[in-house]
Amino acid sequence: MSDLGENTITPEQSVAEVLENISDAFFALDRQWRFTYLNGGAERMLRRTRSELLGQNIWTEFPDAVQSRFYTEYHRTMEAGVPSQFEEYYPAPLDAWYEVRAYPTPTGMAVYFQDSTEHRRVREQIRETADRLSLAMDASGLGDYVWDVVTDRVHLSLHAAKLFGVPADIPITRNQMLTMVDAADSALAQERVAVALKHQGDYRIEYRVHRPDGSVVWIATRGRGIYDENGKMTRLLGVMQDITERRNAEDALRAEIQIKESLRSIGLSFASKLELQDLLQAITDAGTRIVRAQFGAFFYNSVTAAGESYILYTISGVPREKFSQFPMPRNTAIFGPTFEGTGTVRIDDVTNDPRYGKNAPYHGMPPGHLPVRSHLAVSVKSRTGDVIGGLLFGHEQVGVFTEHDARLIEGIAAQAAVALDNARLYDAERRARADAEGANRDKDRLLESERAARTEAERASRTKDEFLATVSHELRTPLNAMLGWSQLLSDTSDAGTLREGLDVIRRNARVQAQLIEDLLDMSRIISGKLRLDVQRVDLPDVIHAAIESVQHSADARGVRLVKILDPAAGAVSGDANRLQQIVWNLLSNAIKFTPKGGHVQITLRRVDSQVEIAVTDSGIGIAPDFLPHVFERFRQADASTTRKHGGLGLGLSIVKSLIELHGGSAHAQSPGDNQGSTFIIVLPIAAVARQAAEQPPDFSRSHPPAAPDLKGLKILVVDDEPDARALLDRLLKDRGAEVQTAGTVSEALEAFKLRPPDLLISDIGIPDQDGYDLIRQVRALPAPHDSRIPAIALTAFARSEDRTRAMRAGYQMHLPKPIEAPELLAAIATLAWRV
């Protein structure tokens, strides 16, 4: 045992051995600043041996250090008992930078030195390189950016931020940047970026940016993605440059080429026309298009016994009737040079021209004349120099026509003169027949225009419905996951802050869902597809249900709700759910526009043979000039970017439309700004007769059913969205169900064959084969796969026609996304146990 004890290495010996074998310096001091230990690295650094320094005072042995940072930091560590870490230069003979760490010990302090000279040199080189790169990018007008995919934050350099017109020190997301990109460029730019990133290559794109100050710049961007070991992109790096001058120059050159080509084509077109009227119309249309005029006209010059007169031949840009009621232009100071052939007339603002308004009887433009501010006119002369007529162009804005436009019109006039000389004789011989043929052509064009307009209207209606359905699907799918996961986390988490954040997510998701419902309701109203489930309805029940649904919102905003309901007001005939929607909308609107401490009052009373519901608030009121428009679609009193209240401007329009479908009326009253407002709806009283078996309206949707136990129920969930599948998997398993998931129709059918479920829940919008294809194939499966399995369509396609299609395809239930978890669980239990 004694031999073993003599060979045992103590912990202190082990530490000392480690310290002796490191290259960095380490020494210890007692509270009298005397060296109690030095390793070999400390001897080399201090150029002194242990025998020379042990037991000696550090400040005596190294007096120069008293004036350095070492003295300050060491005393702070010793006296305050806190560690210290700093970097300091150690002069000759070492001539090196050291990273120093000082730690308090029970007997004094320990100090560790690490040579940081090389690290510091590398940092300086990196900083100098970055400065040189920044200087080079500034000199070349380049800005750089980094998009962090995980945080969705874009870090812009100073120059890049200037290009977008945003502060460089304020965080911005990629979507926020995309909203500044011109709509005409955004889709193509994003498509090219997506293709490049898919193949992990570079991309080069050019697009216009609308800055917050209203200016527009062209930007060229080049970038590439940075990917992790799994090939997933983590960052996006790129540089951008202002190319506005280059694009403007290219556009100007392109415009010049187009103009020259247009003039050449116009000349050929003129030469190919022998019908005088067709030629004159072509001349007028071409001139109007080239100079961007609102209208253009050609006036023929003829001399009568009474003097000069001008006959209108052609008009472009507006119907001919716009000019037919006015007298022809006369030889006034403004029109004279054109018809006398003395020069081209270009005026930026006719009303400010000294020649304007000098002639009776109008002293300006006749009443009802098209508003004209910019004016451009040129003479059309024959080969002999005689003035044939004049081309006149106008625009209601100031300063539209340029000197360049004047030169172009002079070129067109010269080409027109030659063509007119050739066409006039031909036109004189065939005028009678040409007039008849022209009338037939006008008739055919009118009929074709009517057919085209009807076809376009039908196409626009279909496109609108399809667009709204697509928008509904794309928005409802993520909203379903948001609502479901937020509810799960809220039920299982104990953290108050987490619960508060999840409440915000759920509340905003419901707001977005309501916006979608408003859009779909407006589409149904406009297209005449809205259907009412008419029955006898007691309005007090409707109003109580609506108040209950908005009470929490009123309490949160500090708004007091007051109800004055006449129980003998009488029942009405209508759709109970739609009537509740009307009352809810009016109450929500009143609460939103009423400040804290205010009140909202709802009154129900009978007025003769009608029932009146009035919602009065003490809120911001309605300005008199906006009051007539308060029920119009998309109209809002404050539509600026700084408005305090959100919304689409559809709620009140939907209220008015629904009330009118019920045979009633709606109107609004307000004394003015900050004086509150009152919205009144009037409905006819229902007939007294009533079927005994008729049931009162069901408002149970305001109270979601309790979540049932699904223990032992085998459920197959089909959805191409992973988040949606994960949500349903978690939700149903928590209630005891056995859950299988599939992302495609083929995966779902395979699951059926391996293990037939008790119930199917499927999305409709699935790539390749959709939910309709799935249910048809399931219903066609032979026994024992049980083709009669209960099936629920859980989808963001929420129109009435979508529900009908789902039921016809083979589903027993159609549930629109987003849906509350209790409602979904109740539907599953009802269908599973019923079947």
Side-chain angles (χ1 to χ4, degrees):
M1 293 295 294
S2 60
D3 292 339
L4 180 61
E6 291 175 356
N7 294 326
T8 300
I9 300 175
T10 65
E12 291 78 9
Q13 291 173 320
S14 178
V15 171
E17 183 178 353
V18 171
L19 292 175
E20 285 300 323
N21 286 286
I22 63 175
S23 58
D24 299 321
F26 179 86
F27 60 85
L29 302 171
D30 62 15
R31 293 191 177 278
Q32 284 71 44
W33 303 102
R34 294 174 300 198
F35 286 97
T36 61
Y37 174 80
L38 296 93
N39 71 349
E43 288 182 300
R44 291 188 294 274
M45 183 193 75
L46 298 174
R47 299 292 195 271
R48 305 278 287 276
T49 66
R50 276 178 253 205
S51 60
E52 294 175 324
L53 293 177
L54 285 175
Q56 302 301 318
N57 186 294
I58 186 174
W59 310 122
T60 303
E61 296 298 319
F62 301 95
D64 292 339
V66 175
Q67 305 300 324
S68 70
R69 188 176 181 183
F70 295 102
Y71 186 89
T72 303
E73 294 293 336
Y74 286 1
H75 275 75
R76 188 168 69 87
T77 298
M78 185 77 79
E79 294 167 6
V82 294
S84 176
Q85 180 177 343
F86 60 96
E87 192 175 44
E88 187 66 19
Y89 173 73
Y90 205 101
L94 297 182
D95 190 26
W97 282 89
Y98 283 88
E99 182 177 358
V100 184
R101 297 184 180 89
Y103 304 93
T105 67
T107 59
M109 64 182 293
V111 183
Y112 173 82
F113 278 73
Q114 184 178 30
D115 190 334
S116 63
T117 305
E118 182 62 22
H119 292 169
R120 188 178 181 88
R121 184 186 63 80
V122 171
R123 291 200 304 269
E124 289 294 332
Q125 287 181 344
I126 293 174
R127 185 164 52 250
E128 290 175 6
T129 300
D131 291 341
R132 287 195 297 270
L133 177 60
S134 178
L135 181 61
M137 293 186 71
D138 287 342
S140 60
L142 292 174
D144 63 287
Y145 64 93
V146 179
W147 174 44
D148 189 323
V149 177
V150 176
T151 64
D152 192 29
R153 287 292 185 269
V154 180
H155 304 279
L156 298 171
S157 68
L158 181 61
H159 193 73
K162 289 181 180 178
L163 290 180
F164 271 79
V166 298
D169 55 347
I170 297 179
I172 187 171
T173 66
R174 184 166 181 260
N175 283 336
Q176 287 173 328
M177 292 183 64
L178 290 176
T179 60
M180 301 172 66
V181 177
D182 190 276
D185 306 329
S186 180
L188 179 60
Q190 292 187 66
E191 178 183 352
R192 290 183 177 176
V193 171
V195 170
L197 296 180
K198 180 179 180 181
H199 298 90
Q200 296 193 5
D202 293 356
Y203 64 86
R204 297 182 181 181
I205 53 176
E206 296 181 359
Y207 50 86
R208 283 162 291 186
V209 168
H210 294 263
R211 291 169 165 171
D213 62 3
S215 62
V216 180
V217 295
W218 273 98
I219 291 179
T221 298
R222 179 174 181 175
R224 68 176 53 169
I226 304 298
Y227 305 84
D228 61 19
E229 62 274 13
N230 298 319
K232 182 178 180 181
M233 188 176 71
T234 60
R235 289 182 298 161
L236 188 66
L237 311 180
V239 294
M240 56 180 63
Q241 186 177 28
D242 187 342
I243 58 169
T244 304
E245 291 185 5
R246 192 202 82 195
R247 289 300 298 249
N248 289 344
E250 290 175 355
D251 291 343
L253 178 60
R254 192 178 300 111
E256 188 70 19
I257 294 173
Q258 290 175 349
I259 288 173
K260 290 181 179 179
E261 181 61 26
S262 296
L263 288 176
R264 187 184 70 82
S265 300
I266 289 169
L268 294 175
S269 174
F270 291 174
S272 66
K273 296 182 183 298
L274 293 176
E275 295 290 343
L276 182 60
Q277 189 66 31
D278 291 345
L279 175 60
L280 292 172
Q281 188 64 57
I283 294 170
T284 311
D285 291 343
T288 304
R289 183 178 66 255
I290 288 293
V291 300
R292 309 167 309 283
Q294 277 187 324
F295 73 89
F298 183 91
F299 290 91
Y300 178 75
N301 186 14
S302 65
V303 180
T304 65
E308 296 269 6
S309 65
Y310 313 103
I311 302 172
L312 175 66
Y313 259 100
T314 55
I315 189 75
S316 181
V318 293
R320 188 181 180 88
E321 295 75 32
K322 291 289 186 180
F323 278 85
S324 60
Q325 58 182 315
F326 302 115
M328 295 300 104
R330 297 170 298 134
N331 194 7
T332 61
I334 290 181
F335 293 112
T338 301
F339 296 104
E340 294 170 1
T342 58
T344 301
V345 177
R346 181 177 68 86
I347 304 174
D348 288 337
D349 189 350
V350 170
T351 60
N352 288 334
D353 193 277
R355 296 167 291 183
Y356 176 78
K358 302 296 184 183
N359 301 92
Y362 302 109
H363 296 285
M365 280 174 274
H369 195 281
L370 289 173
V372 178
R373 302 295 293 275
S374 294
H375 173 74
L376 177 62
V378 64
S379 305
V380 179
K381 300 180 181 180
S382 66
R383 292 188 181 93
T384 61
D386 296 328
V387 176
I388 301 174
L391 280 167
L392 283 74
F393 304 94
H395 201 287
E396 66 181 3
Q397 296 181 5
V398 174
V400 171
F401 307 124
T402 65
E403 191 66 29
H404 184 61
D405 294 331
R407 303 287 79 79
L408 287 173
I409 288 300
E410 289 173 355
I412 291 177
Q415 292 176 329
V418 176
L420 283 172
D421 277 343
N422 295 333
R424 289 172 71 185
L425 292 176
Y426 181 83
D427 181 74
E429 295 173 354
R430 301 184 57 191
R431 183 172 300 173
R433 184 157 55 94
D435 288 343
E437 293 175 352
N440 290 333
R441 285 194 298 272
D442 288 342
K443 180 180 179 180
D444 291 341
R445 283 196 295 267
L446 179 60
L447 292 175
E448 181 61 28
S449 176
E450 291 176 352
R451 285 194 294 268
R454 185 166 55 253
T455 301
E456 178 61 20
E458 293 171 354
R459 186 198 65 79
S461 179
R462 288 194 303 272
T463 301
K464 178 194 64 178
D465 289 343
E466 293 168 359
F467 168 75
L468 287 174
T470 301
V471 169
S472 174
H473 177 267
E474 294 301 318
L475 291 179
R476 285 176 180 270
T477 297
L479 285 174
N480 187 57
M482 290 168 61
L483 283 171
W485 279 110
S486 65
Q487 187 164 359
L488 285 175
L489 292 175
S490 180
D491 291 339
T492 60
S493 174
D494 294 328
T497 55
L498 179 59
R499 184 182 300 276
E500 181 181 357
L502 293 174
D503 287 342
V504 171
I505 294 173
R506 186 162 57 250
R507 183 168 61 253
N508 282 274
R510 288 194 176 108
V511 169
Q512 293 189 39
Q514 184 60 49
L515 294 178
I516 295 170
E517 287 300 327
D518 286 350
L519 286 170
L520 291 175
D521 278 347
M522 185 52 64
S523 174
R524 297 183 188 110
I525 291 169
I526 294 174
S527 60
K529 296 180 180 179
L530 184 68
R531 297 293 181 263
L532 299 179
D533 181 13
V534 179
Q535 56 183 296
R536 186 180 178 88
V537 180
D538 291 323
L539 288 178
D541 294 339
V542 171
I543 295 174
H544 283 303
I547 291 175
E548 184 176 351
S549 65
V550 300
Q551 186 66 58
H552 178 74
S553 176
D555 293 341
R557 292 181 58 88
V559 175
R560 182 166 54 92
L561 286 179
V562 179
K563 56 183 178 182
I564 304 174
L565 309 181
D566 180 2
V572 299
S573 293
D575 186 319
N577 289 323
R578 289 299 182 181
L579 290 172
Q580 182 182 350
Q581 177 184 356
I582 292 169
V583 177
W584 175 89
N585 208 318
L586 292 177
L587 288 173
S588 298
N589 210 52
I591 292 170
K592 179 169 67 172
F593 291 102
T594 300
K596 183 176 182 180
H599 69 275
V600 174
Q601 176 178 297
I602 181 168
T603 304
L604 171 67
R605 63 174 184 152
R606 180 170 179 168
V607 180
D608 298 328
S609 61
Q610 295 176 318
V611 176
E612 178 184 282
I613 301 174
V615 177
T616 302
D617 63 70
S618 59
I620 64 174
I622 306 172
D625 59 341
F626 184 74
L627 194 58
H629 309 287
V630 73
F631 288 105
E632 294 180 10
R633 290 196 303 272
F634 308 115
R635 288 295 294 269
Q636 300 185 66
D638 181 7
S640 68
T641 58
T642 59
R643 60 180 178 155
K644 298 179 180 178
H645 306 283
L648 296 177
L650 291 177
L652 292 177
S653 178
I654 293 173
V655 166
K656 188 172 189 296
S657 299
L658 291 176
I659 283 296
E660 290 175 349
L661 287 174
H662 283 79
S665 62
H667 65 278
Q669 301 172 354
S670 177
D673 289 337
N674 299 314
Q675 299 184 61
S677 57
T678 300
F679 287 85
I680 301 173
I681 57 175
V682 179
L683 292 166
I685 293 178
V688 176
R690 177 176 181 176
Q691 294 181 0
E694 189 176 74
Q695 298 297 322
D698 180 15
F699 297 99
S700 62
R701 188 174 177 84
S702 300
H703 306 279
D709 185 5
L710 305 180
K711 186 175 181 179
L713 189 66
K714 297 191 294 292
I715 301 176
L716 174 61
V717 174
V718 184
D719 200 309
D720 62 311
E721 290 291 336
D723 289 343
R725 292 199 304 272
L727 165 64
L728 291 178
D729 181 74
R730 173 72 178 275
L731 175 63
L732 299 177
K733 284 181 177 178
D734 284 351
R735 297 300 175 185
E738 299 177 20
V739 183
Q740 292 177 276
T741 61
T744 64
V745 171
S746 59
E747 291 178 5
L749 293 174
E750 187 65 27
F752 258 92
K753 295 175 182 178
L754 294 176
R755 186 186 181 197
D758 299 323
L759 185 138
L760 169 67
I761 302 176
S762 177
D763 189 16
I764 294 298
I766 305 174
D768 298 330
Q769 297 186 78
D770 58 23
Y772 301 124
D773 297 322
L774 171 60
I775 194 62
R776 293 189 190 102
Q777 294 182 59
V778 167
R779 295 305 182 217
L781 288 175
H785 300 296
D786 193 5
S787 62
R788 292 295 94 195
I789 179 175
I792 297 175
L794 180 60
T795 174
F797 290 111
R799 301 175 301 173
S800 58
E801 51 264 45
D802 296 323
R803 180 182 184 279
T804 301
R805 185 179 177 187
M807 303 299 280
R808 287 178 176 175
Y811 290 99
Q812 279 86 11
M813 282 191 179
H814 174 274
L815 302 178
K817 296 178 181 178
I819 186 169
E820 298 283 359
E823 292 186 59
L824 174 61
L825 294 171
I828 292 172
T830 300
L831 187 58
W833 308 143
R834 184 184 69 194
V835 179

